[in-house]
Amino acid sequence: MIEIKDLHKSYKTGSNSLHVLKGINFNVAEGELVSIMGSSGSGKSTLLNILGMLDEADSGTYKLDGVPIKNLNEKIAARYRNKFLGFIFQSFNLINYKTALDNVALPLYYQGMKRKERIEKAMAYLDKVGLTPWAQHLPNELSGGQKQRVAIARALASDPKVLLADEPTGALDTKTSYEVMDLIQKINEEGRTILIVTHEHDIAEMTKRIVNLKDGLIIDDKKIDQVKALQHV
Ligand code: ADP
Ligand code: MG
């Protein structure tokens, strides 16, 4: 699903250059649930943003579902992003003046789906994350965990091949974090490929593979035998 070879990325600020990714190689097969770990500043978000086509590498190759991602014009890049990728962020990134339902339905509006159909679809995804009773509520009437579940429903609404989550539990307490991870595991069990950036070990242990980044390189990449699991309560 994801193939990257010798990926490099530097940030230039004035006359300084910061070499953040120093030759990353890794592949993710369809259906994997992978966490990317590393201390703050190790390049996790930079890597995820490149995988999410929100940023481009300086060199190296990236193939997503067999398609080389390079020098795409903004229109084609946006089309691939919509088709292939769903995003989940630490800060939820919901639209505050729209209800949970309308937040989930928004990506479907951009796909040109008719109102009746997108409301039906959005309701089905809200149901999947256990939020049917909250459909007409605004984000500020929801708890952090509920907001993240709305964001997950929104990410799923466009039926992406890959879900990318940057510190999805970073703003949540432990119990709520585990509930969100339980939902992510459930979505993965249905076959969806998911990558999660985290710096928390207990969160990484709820994935099936942990990739460790340090100083711009992968220093460890291991499959987890005993995945820590709740019971999708
Ligand atoms: P992580 O997500 O692992 O904390 P990041 O990928 O966000 O790390 O950042 C890696 C390094 O690159 C950090 O030192 C950060 O300050 C720097 N950095 C990130 N984004 C930019 C940017 N847009 N411009 C300049 N430097 C950046
Ligand atoms: Mg980060």
Side-chain angles (χ1 to χ4, degrees), residues 183-206:
L183 176 60
I184 286 175
Q185 286 179 335
K186 178 177 140 199
I187 292 163
N188 170 253
E189 279 164 19
E190 295 165 357
R192 188 102 42 191
T193 312
I194 307 180
L195 270 77
I196 297 172
V197 160
T198 183
H199 59 262
E200 295 164 294
H201 280 281
D202 52 343
I203 296 301
E205 282 164 10
M206 295 184 77

Side-chain angles (χ1 to χ4, degrees), residues 121-155:
K121 213 164 176 191
M123 275 310 295
Y125 280 106
L126 274 179
D127 188 49
K128 192 182 184 64
V129 301
L131 289 180
T132 302
W134 296 89
Q136 299 303 335
H137 287 256
L138 293 170
N140 67 14
E141 298 165 336
L142 304 176
S143 69
Q146 288 172 329
K147 282 185 226 182
Q148 195 59 299
R149 284 193 274 150
V150 173
I152 291 169
R154 177 184 58 185

Side-chain angles (χ1 to χ4, degrees), residues 54-75:
L54 300 170
D55 200 357
E56 267 205 23
D58 299 329
S59 65
T61 59
Y62 171 27
K63 275 193 203 165
L64 178 58
D65 204 27
V67 179
I69 304 300
K70 190 158 179 71
N71 300 329
L72 302 176
N73 73 42
E74 193 39 52
K75 222 174 170 172

Side-chain angles (χ1 to χ4, degrees), residues 11-13 18 20 38-47 166-167 197 213:
Y11 290 113
K12 283 147 201 87
T13 44
L18 183 65
V20 177
S39 51
S40 177
S42 58
K44 305 182 297 295
S45 294
T46 300
L47 177 59
D166 196 346
E167 309 259 6
V197 160
L213 267 187

Side-chain angles (χ1 to χ4, degrees), residues 87-107:
F87 295 91
I88 302 165
F89 302 97
Q90 176 173 353
S91 51
F92 323 123
N93 292 14
L94 299 176
I95 297 175
N96 288 323
Y97 57 86
K98 285 190 183 291
T99 62
L101 180 65
D102 286 341
N103 267 282
V104 177
L106 195 61

